Amino acid sequence: MLMTACDISAITKPWPVQKRVAELVATEFFEQGDKEREELNIEPIDLMNREKRDKIPSMQVSFIDAICTQLYETLAGMSEHCSPLLNGCQQNRQHWKRLAEQCEKDELDGLE
């Protein structure tokens, strides 16, 4: 559990750091998706599909909800010293949620 917490700990960092790391990871995933499309002739999953870039904020919210929150809640329950990790995760979820809502609004506005 601690190794996983360390592995995904960028989600707990201050927003500018979290956003930058997410951008770097997305770039790596998109490169993988491009290779899958070009070399294997398959459609990449949304997470690795450059054409689904606008879904990153909602995918981040889903990732936080499905994995991160439970993990950091458990750690914070074991030691109060881990509470800042949970707090950072929760704050970043709020940022990603706002971006996801804005992307959804922009998408709906584009349909009008």
Side-chain angles (χ1 to χ4, degrees), residues 8 10 15 18 23 38 41 50 53 64-65 70 79 85:
I8 63 172
W15 176 244
Q18 160 46 205
E23 290 167 352
E38 294 165 11
N41 230 10
R50 189 178 302 278
R53 168 177 252 121
I64 291 168
D65 289 348
Q70 184 177 352
S79 171
L85 300 173

Side-chain angles (χ1 to χ4, degrees), residues 45-59:
I45 62 171
D46 287 355
L47 187 62
M48 296 185 177
N49 190 339
R50 189 178 302 278
E51 296 169 8
K52 307 281 182 154
R53 168 177 252 121
D54 59 331
K55 303 285 185 206
I56 290 174
S58 63
M59 287 189 278

Side-chain angles (χ1 to χ4, degrees), residues 25-38:
V25 170
T27 299
E28 181 180 334
F29 285 177
F30 293 155
E31 289 172 3
Q32 175 67 33
D34 293 345
K35 284 184 177 184
E36 290 176 2
R37 181 177 281 119
E38 294 165 11

Side-chain angles (χ1 to χ4, degrees), residues 1-13 67-68 71-72 75 82 85:
M1 184 168 43
L2 289 175
M3 288 184 68
T4 299
C6 292
D7 189 41
I8 63 172
S9 67
I11 205 74
T12 70
K13 305 293 184 193
I67 307 285
C68 304
L71 175 64
Y72 291 113
L75 289 176
C82 294
L85 300 173

